[in-house]
Amino acid sequence: DAPPPVLELRGVKAAYGKIEVLHGVDLAIPRGSVVALLGANGAGKTTTLSVASGQMAPSEGDVYLAGRRVTGASASALASAGLCTIPEGRGVFRTLTVRENLRMATYRGIDLATVEDRAYGIFPRLGARRGQVAGTLSGGEQQMLSLARALVTEPAVLLLDELSMGLAPMIVDDLYQQVGRIRRQGVSVLVVEQFARTVLGVADVAAIMAHGRITSVGTPSEIESELSDAYLGAS
Ligand code: ATP
């Protein structure tokens, strides 16, 4: 039998107060793959990530991590089980240096030297800026730092929300090249993006979301033909 997906949502409904915004979402992240979740503003992409990462409980349906039902488990329990989220807006400590930010990733008994070796191996640009305060890094470098912090913990699955937000297209290309490398290291990735072009270049599977439902799932080339220019635009 094929192994279960690293992460799976089945029939997930979710609401803010009385307003339901996810109406039965089915989504699977196969082991070792990059899945792109695309859709317009307000489609429900971020809410889907919130349910997947345990930050929000579904009103119906279930979440499975490596075949184990984890519906309702806390975000910290899911994080210890290998699920790592990088939120929209990066989540670096702006007043700390690159090295101090990486030190925050050393909690599982991994020492700082090992963490720095891994991080600068993936992102050499960070190595050259190890003493620089994170708030003064460029947007792309901050995004590299948040990815590096996530990766040194060797997660099984990484959830990325709008990696491209506010970044120049060339930098976004570069970051997605790194996402491709991350996948080759055995990390499965679910990435949410509003604009599709770059992410479709590294994704194995793409899903389109509209009005709280997944409306199509397929290979990037299958999905590309369904996307309007508006989606393919900016990045
Ligand atoms: P975007 O690309 O603009 O970030 P999205 O696809 O990630 O959009 P969500 O952020 O999941 O969409 O929002 C889905 C729906 O839920 C939207 O109609 C939004 O207004 C609503 N919503 C999101 N967060 C809240 C909240 N905290 N309280 C009430 N409604 C919310």
Side-chain angles (χ1 to χ4, degrees):
D1 284 354
V6 277
L7 179 67
E8 189 173 12
L9 273 60
R10 284 193 211 152
V12 162
K13 297 186 177 181
Y16 295 103
K18 287 184 178 159
I19 302 175
E20 189 179 277
V21 298
L22 299 183
H23 310 294
V25 169
D26 295 305
L27 185 67
I29 320 306
R31 186 170 300 280
S33 64
V34 174
V35 176
L37 182 60
L38 309 169
N41 273 319
K45 305 180 298 294
T46 300
T47 307
T48 301
L49 285 192
S50 301
V51 171
S53 63
Q55 281 152 349
M56 186 173 169
S59 47
E60 273 185 52
D62 283 299
V63 180
Y64 296 84
L65 200 59
R68 193 163 60 89
R69 185 177 167 276
V70 293
T71 317
S74 68
S76 63
L78 293 178
S80 336
L83 185 144
C84 179
T85 310
I86 298 184
E88 201 172 320
R90 306 186 182 127
V92 299
F93 297 95
R94 298 180 58 84
T95 60
L96 301 182
T97 63
V98 167
R99 181 190 279 120
E100 287 162 349
N101 267 277
L102 291 172
R103 183 176 287 129
M104 311 295 270
T106 57
Y107 66 103
R108 275 182 197 158
I110 317 170
D111 63 83
L112 181 60
T114 307
V115 163
E116 285 194 277
D117 278 353
R118 277 188 206 157
Y120 307 151
I122 307 170
F123 300 108
R125 284 171 74 102
L126 290 179
R129 289 169 177 74
R130 65 188 75 192
Q132 191 173 328
V133 169
T136 64
L137 296 172
S138 72
E141 289 161 356
Q142 288 185 36
Q143 199 59 283
M144 287 173 200
L145 179 56
S146 59
L147 273 173
R149 281 183 46 206
L151 288 172
V152 295
T153 68
E154 302 188 304
V157 52
L158 190 60
L159 310 184
L160 303 174
D161 199 355
E162 303 261 357
L163 200 60
S164 67
M165 176 81 77
L167 300 177
M170 254 178 58
I171 296 179
V172 175
D173 277 353
D174 202 44
L175 283 170
Y176 275 113
Q177 295 301 319
Q178 304 305 331
V179 169
R181 285 183 55 195
I182 289 165
R183 181 247 324 268
R184 290 194 287 280
Q185 292 178 6
V187 181
S188 311
V189 184
L190 173 60
V191 41
V192 159
E193 279 289 353
Q194 198 171 333
F195 296 107
R197 183 161 281 143
T198 311
V199 69
L200 285 180
V202 294
D204 303 290
V205 179
I208 303 180
M209 183 162 217
H211 308 295
R213 291 191 170 82
I214 304 282
T215 53
S216 2
V217 181
T219 63
S221 53
E222 285 163 353
I223 290 300
E224 198 162 4
S225 61
E226 290 184 37
L227 290 171
S228 67
D229 289 345
Y231 282 118
L232 289 171
S235 56

mmCIF file of all heavy atoms in Angstrom, residues 151-181:
data_model
loop_
_atom_site.group_PDB
_atom_site.id
_atom_site.type_symbol
_atom_site.label_atom_id
_atom_site.label_comp_id
_atom_site.label_asym_id
_atom_site.label_seq_id
_atom_site.Cartn_x
_atom_site.Cartn_y
_atom_site.Cartn_z
ATOM 1 N N LEU A 151 13.593 25.092 9.033
ATOM 2 C CA LEU A 151 14.212 23.879 8.499
ATOM 3 C C LEU A 151 15.179 23.212 9.444
ATOM 4 O O LEU A 151 15.334 21.996 9.413
ATOM 5 C CB LEU A 151 14.926 24.214 7.192
ATOM 6 C CG LEU A 151 13.929 24.477 6.090
ATOM 7 C CD1 LEU A 151 14.637 25.004 4.871
ATOM 8 C CD2 LEU A 151 13.163 23.205 5.775
ATOM 9 N N VAL A 152 15.842 24.017 10.294
ATOM 10 C CA VAL A 152 16.812 23.398 11.184
ATOM 11 C C VAL A 152 16.129 22.475 12.191
ATOM 12 O O VAL A 152 16.778 21.614 12.763
ATOM 13 C CB VAL A 152 17.714 24.427 11.901
ATOM 14 C CG1 VAL A 152 18.579 25.152 10.886
ATOM 15 C CG2 VAL A 152 16.923 25.394 12.738
ATOM 16 N N THR A 153 14.835 22.619 12.379
ATOM 17 C CA THR A 153 14.123 21.699 13.276
ATOM 18 C C THR A 153 13.725 20.415 12.544
ATOM 19 O O THR A 153 13.078 19.550 13.132
ATOM 20 C CB THR A 153 12.861 22.352 13.876
ATOM 21 O OG1 THR A 153 11.914 22.562 12.825
ATOM 22 C CG2 THR A 153 13.182 23.689 14.539
ATOM 23 N N GLU A 154 14.093 20.288 11.263
ATOM 24 C CA GLU A 154 13.792 19.109 10.448
ATOM 25 C C GLU A 154 12.331 18.667 10.527
ATOM 26 O O GLU A 154 12.030 17.559 10.945
ATOM 27 C CB GLU A 154 14.736 17.954 10.818
ATOM 28 C CG GLU A 154 16.195 18.357 10.631
ATOM 29 C CD GLU A 154 17.154 17.191 10.791
ATOM 30 O OE1 GLU A 154 17.114 16.537 11.853
ATOM 31 O OE2 GLU A 154 17.928 16.946 9.854
ATOM 32 N N PRO A 155 11.424 19.553 10.124
ATOM 33 C CA PRO A 155 10.008 19.203 10.164
ATOM 34 C C PRO A 155 9.665 18.144 9.107
ATOM 35 O O PRO A 155 10.382 18.004 8.114
ATOM 36 C CB PRO A 155 9.311 20.525 9.825
ATOM 37 C CG PRO A 155 10.301 21.254 8.980
ATOM 38 C CD PRO A 155 11.657 20.877 9.515
ATOM 39 N N ALA A 156 8.580 17.420 9.339
ATOM 40 C CA ALA A 156 8.088 16.474 8.327
ATOM 41 C C ALA A 156 7.285 17.227 7.278
ATOM 42 O O ALA A 156 7.301 16.874 6.099
ATOM 43 C CB ALA A 156 7.221 15.411 8.987
ATOM 44 N N VAL A 157 6.567 18.248 7.728
ATOM 45 C CA VAL A 157 5.748 19.024 6.802
ATOM 46 C C VAL A 157 5.790 20.496 7.173
ATOM 47 O O VAL A 157 5.743 20.872 8.339
ATOM 48 C CB VAL A 157 4.298 18.457 6.687
ATOM 49 C CG1 VAL A 157 3.651 18.285 8.022
ATOM 50 C CG2 VAL A 157 3.425 19.313 5.787
ATOM 51 N N LEU A 158 5.943 21.296 6.133
ATOM 52 C CA LEU A 158 6.107 22.730 6.290
ATOM 53 C C LEU A 158 4.919 23.418 5.626
ATOM 54 O O LEU A 158 4.584 23.116 4.485
ATOM 55 C CB LEU A 158 7.406 23.104 5.568
ATOM 56 C CG LEU A 158 8.013 24.478 5.719
ATOM 57 C CD1 LEU A 158 8.345 24.751 7.175
ATOM 58 C CD2 LEU A 158 9.283 24.542 4.872
ATOM 59 N N LEU A 159 4.269 24.325 6.348
ATOM 60 C CA LEU A 159 3.151 25.082 5.792
ATOM 61 C C LEU A 159 3.602 26.520 5.577
ATOM 62 O O LEU A 159 4.046 27.170 6.522
ATOM 63 C CB LEU A 159 1.947 25.066 6.749
ATOM 64 C CG LEU A 159 1.488 23.715 7.287
ATOM 65 C CD1 LEU A 159 0.226 23.880 8.151
ATOM 66 C CD2 LEU A 159 1.205 22.748 6.161
ATOM 67 N N LEU A 160 3.510 26.999 4.359
ATOM 68 C CA LEU A 160 3.991 28.346 4.023
ATOM 69 C C LEU A 160 2.836 29.205 3.548
ATOM 70 O O LEU A 160 2.136 28.838 2.604
ATOM 71 C CB LEU A 160 5.013 28.280 2.888
ATOM 72 C CG LEU A 160 6.248 27.416 3.098
ATOM 73 C CD1 LEU A 160 7.076 27.362 1.816
ATOM 74 C CD2 LEU A 160 7.075 27.988 4.229
ATOM 75 N N ASP A 161 2.660 30.355 4.161
ATOM 76 C CA ASP A 161 1.584 31.258 3.745
ATOM 77 C C ASP A 161 2.157 32.475 3.026
ATOM 78 O O ASP A 161 2.866 33.270 3.627
ATOM 79 C CB ASP A 161 0.772 31.709 4.967
ATOM 80 C CG ASP A 161 -0.593 32.255 4.558
ATOM 81 O OD1 ASP A 161 -0.860 32.360 3.341
ATOM 82 O OD2 ASP A 161 -1.399 32.574 5.453
ATOM 83 N N GLU A 162 1.874 32.592 1.743
ATOM 84 C CA GLU A 162 2.227 33.778 0.945
ATOM 85 C C GLU A 162 3.688 34.163 1.106
ATOM 86 O O GLU A 162 4.010 35.290 1.484
ATOM 87 C CB GLU A 162 1.331 34.972 1.340
ATOM 88 C CG GLU A 162 -0.147 34.696 1.190
ATOM 89 C CD GLU A 162 -0.754 35.243 -0.106
ATOM 90 O OE1 GLU A 162 -0.032 35.901 -0.875
ATOM 91 O OE2 GLU A 162 -1.942 34.991 -0.339
ATOM 92 N N LEU A 163 4.547 33.227 0.766
ATOM 93 C CA LEU A 163 5.986 33.461 0.785
ATOM 94 C C LEU A 163 6.364 34.687 -0.054
ATOM 95 O O LEU A 163 7.315 35.390 0.250
ATOM 96 C CB LEU A 163 6.650 32.217 0.186
ATOM 97 C CG LEU A 163 8.102 31.918 0.439
ATOM 98 C CD1 LEU A 163 8.348 31.748 1.919
ATOM 99 C CD2 LEU A 163 8.502 30.649 -0.304
ATOM 100 N N SER A 164 5.618 34.941 -1.108
ATOM 101 C CA SER A 164 5.985 35.976 -2.071
ATOM 102 C C SER A 164 5.542 37.375 -1.659
ATOM 103 O O SER A 164 5.930 38.350 -2.301
ATOM 104 C CB SER A 164 5.349 35.663 -3.424
ATOM 105 O OG SER A 164 3.948 35.781 -3.326
ATOM 106 N N MET A 165 4.771 37.459 -0.578
ATOM 107 C CA MET A 165 4.181 38.737 -0.170
ATOM 108 C C MET A 165 5.195 39.885 -0.138
ATOM 109 O O MET A 165 6.161 39.853 0.616
ATOM 110 C CB MET A 165 3.579 38.543 1.229
ATOM 111 C CG MET A 165 3.018 39.792 1.838
ATOM 112 S SD MET A 165 1.384 40.141 1.222
ATOM 113 C CE MET A 165 0.422 38.963 2.159
ATOM 114 N N GLY A 166 4.967 40.882 -0.956
ATOM 115 C CA GLY A 166 5.793 42.076 -0.913
ATOM 116 C C GLY A 166 7.202 41.923 -1.468
ATOM 117 O O GLY A 166 8.028 42.809 -1.274
ATOM 118 N N LEU A 167 7.492 40.806 -2.118
ATOM 119 C CA LEU A 167 8.854 40.598 -2.607
ATOM 120 C C LEU A 167 8.919 40.714 -4.125
ATOM 121 O O LEU A 167 7.961 40.407 -4.826
ATOM 122 C CB LEU A 167 9.359 39.208 -2.198
ATOM 123 C CG LEU A 167 9.419 38.937 -0.696
ATOM 124 C CD1 LEU A 167 9.869 37.503 -0.458
ATOM 125 C CD2 LEU A 167 10.340 39.918 -0.002
ATOM 126 N N ALA A 168 10.090 41.140 -4.607
ATOM 127 C CA ALA A 168 10.299 41.248 -6.051
ATOM 128 C C ALA A 168 10.290 39.853 -6.682
ATOM 129 O O ALA A 168 10.743 38.889 -6.067
ATOM 130 C CB ALA A 168 11.631 41.928 -6.327
ATOM 131 N N PRO A 169 9.775 39.742 -7.925
ATOM 132 C CA PRO A 169 9.662 38.444 -8.595
ATOM 133 C C PRO A 169 10.955 37.634 -8.609
ATOM 134 O O PRO A 169 10.922 36.410 -8.407
ATOM 135 C CB PRO A 169 9.242 38.820 -10.017
ATOM 136 C CG PRO A 169 8.505 40.106 -9.859
ATOM 137 C CD PRO A 169 9.172 40.830 -8.720
ATOM 138 N N MET A 170 12.115 38.291 -8.781
ATOM 139 C CA MET A 170 13.370 37.530 -8.825
ATOM 140 C C MET A 170 13.672 36.859 -7.491
ATOM 141 O O MET A 170 14.188 35.744 -7.442
ATOM 142 C CB MET A 170 14.532 38.467 -9.160
ATOM 143 C CG MET A 170 15.044 38.305 -10.559
ATOM 144 S SD MET A 170 16.369 39.486 -10.890
ATOM 145 C CE MET A 170 17.552 39.058 -9.605
ATOM 146 N N ILE A 171 13.350 37.568 -6.412
ATOM 147 C CA ILE A 171 13.602 37.021 -5.079
ATOM 148 C C ILE A 171 12.647 35.867 -4.802
ATOM 149 O O ILE A 171 13.016 34.853 -4.216
ATOM 150 C CB ILE A 171 13.459 38.145 -4.033
ATOM 151 C CG1 ILE A 171 14.542 39.170 -4.303
ATOM 152 C CG2 ILE A 171 13.534 37.600 -2.616
ATOM 153 C CD1 ILE A 171 14.556 40.354 -3.418
ATOM 154 N N VAL A 172 11.422 36.021 -5.276
ATOM 155 C CA VAL A 172 10.441 34.956 -5.109
ATOM 156 C C VAL A 172 10.902 33.700 -5.852
ATOM 157 O O VAL A 172 10.854 32.592 -5.309
ATOM 158 C CB VAL A 172 9.043 35.411 -5.606
ATOM 159 C CG1 VAL A 172 8.051 34.272 -5.547
ATOM 160 C CG2 VAL A 172 8.557 36.594 -4.783
ATOM 161 N N ASP A 173 11.412 33.877 -7.073
ATOM 162 C CA ASP A 173 11.953 32.741 -7.840
ATOM 163 C C ASP A 173 13.013 32.013 -7.027
ATOM 164 O O ASP A 173 13.022 30.793 -6.934
ATOM 165 C CB ASP A 173 12.644 33.235 -9.126
ATOM 166 C CG ASP A 173 11.649 33.472 -10.243
ATOM 167 O OD1 ASP A 173 10.465 33.128 -10.064
ATOM 168 O OD2 ASP A 173 12.062 34.008 -11.286
ATOM 169 N N ASP A 174 13.912 32.819 -6.448
ATOM 170 C CA ASP A 174 15.013 32.277 -5.681
ATOM 171 C C ASP A 174 14.504 31.481 -4.473
ATOM 172 O O ASP A 174 14.964 30.365 -4.212
ATOM 173 C CB ASP A 174 15.854 33.477 -5.223
ATOM 174 C CG ASP A 174 17.257 33.088 -4.894
ATOM 175 O OD1 ASP A 174 17.816 32.317 -5.686
ATOM 176 O OD2 ASP A 174 17.768 33.533 -3.855
ATOM 177 N N LEU A 175 13.542 32.039 -3.764
ATOM 178 C CA LEU A 175 12.994 31.351 -2.591
ATOM 179 C C LEU A 175 12.343 30.031 -2.993
ATOM 180 O O LEU A 175 12.489 29.018 -2.316
ATOM 181 C CB LEU A 175 11.963 32.235 -1.876
ATOM 182 C CG LEU A 175 12.553 33.353 -1.011
ATOM 183 C CD1 LEU A 175 11.433 34.291 -0.554
ATOM 184 C CD2 LEU A 175 13.283 32.787 0.201
ATOM 185 N N TYR A 176 11.630 30.048 -4.128
ATOM 186 C CA TYR A 176 10.978 28.802 -4.545
ATOM 187 C C TYR A 176 11.983 27.758 -5.026
ATOM 188 O O TYR A 176 11.732 26.561 -4.905
ATOM 189 C CB TYR A 176 9.862 29.068 -5.550
ATOM 190 C CG TYR A 176 8.597 29.415 -4.809
ATOM 191 C CD1 TYR A 176 8.032 30.673 -4.867
ATOM 192 C CD2 TYR A 176 8.011 28.472 -3.958
ATOM 193 C CE1 TYR A 176 6.907 30.994 -4.136
ATOM 194 C CE2 TYR A 176 6.886 28.780 -3.221
ATOM 195 C CZ TYR A 176 6.340 30.040 -3.311
ATOM 196 O OH TYR A 176 5.237 30.338 -2.568
ATOM 197 N N GLN A 177 13.141 28.220 -5.540
ATOM 198 C CA GLN A 177 14.204 27.252 -5.834
ATOM 199 C C GLN A 177 14.607 26.540 -4.536
ATOM 200 O O GLN A 177 14.835 25.339 -4.516
ATOM 201 C CB GLN A 177 15.453 27.952 -6.403
ATOM 202 C CG GLN A 177 15.243 28.619 -7.753
ATOM 203 C CD GLN A 177 14.803 27.633 -8.808
ATOM 204 O OE1 GLN A 177 15.315 26.518 -8.861
ATOM 205 N NE2 GLN A 177 13.838 28.013 -9.626
ATOM 206 N N GLN A 178 14.674 27.328 -3.446
ATOM 207 C CA GLN A 178 15.043 26.745 -2.150
ATOM 208 C C GLN A 178 13.956 25.784 -1.667
ATOM 209 O O GLN A 178 14.255 24.751 -1.074
ATOM 210 C CB GLN A 178 15.270 27.827 -1.083
ATOM 211 C CG GLN A 178 16.305 28.877 -1.457
ATOM 212 C CD GLN A 178 17.643 28.292 -1.831
ATOM 213 O OE1 GLN A 178 18.022 27.231 -1.360
ATOM 214 N NE2 GLN A 178 18.355 28.982 -2.713
ATOM 215 N N VAL A 179 12.698 26.133 -1.934
ATOM 216 C CA VAL A 179 11.608 25.233 -1.541
ATOM 217 C C VAL A 179 11.764 23.899 -2.270
ATOM 218 O O VAL A 179 11.573 22.825 -1.684
ATOM 219 C CB VAL A 179 10.220 25.874 -1.812
ATOM 220 C CG1 VAL A 179 9.098 24.853 -1.656
ATOM 221 C CG2 VAL A 179 10.001 27.059 -0.868
ATOM 222 N N GLY A 180 12.184 23.960 -3.545
ATOM 223 C CA GLY A 180 12.451 22.738 -4.297
ATOM 224 C C GLY A 180 13.545 21.902 -3.635
ATOM 225 O O GLY A 180 13.444 20.676 -3.532
ATOM 226 N N ARG A 181 14.584 22.575 -3.145
ATOM 227 C CA ARG A 181 15.677 21.857 -2.461
ATOM 228 C C ARG A 181 15.201 21.249 -1.146
ATOM 229 O O ARG A 181 15.603 20.149 -0.779
ATOM 230 C CB ARG A 181 16.836 22.809 -2.171
ATOM 231 C CG ARG A 181 17.639 23.146 -3.403
ATOM 232 C CD ARG A 181 18.825 24.030 -3.055
ATOM 233 N NE ARG A 181 19.694 23.457 -2.030
ATOM 234 C CZ ARG A 181 20.616 24.147 -1.362
ATOM 235 N NH1 ARG A 181 20.769 25.430 -1.596
ATOM 236 N NH2 ARG A 181 21.374 23.564 -0.472
#
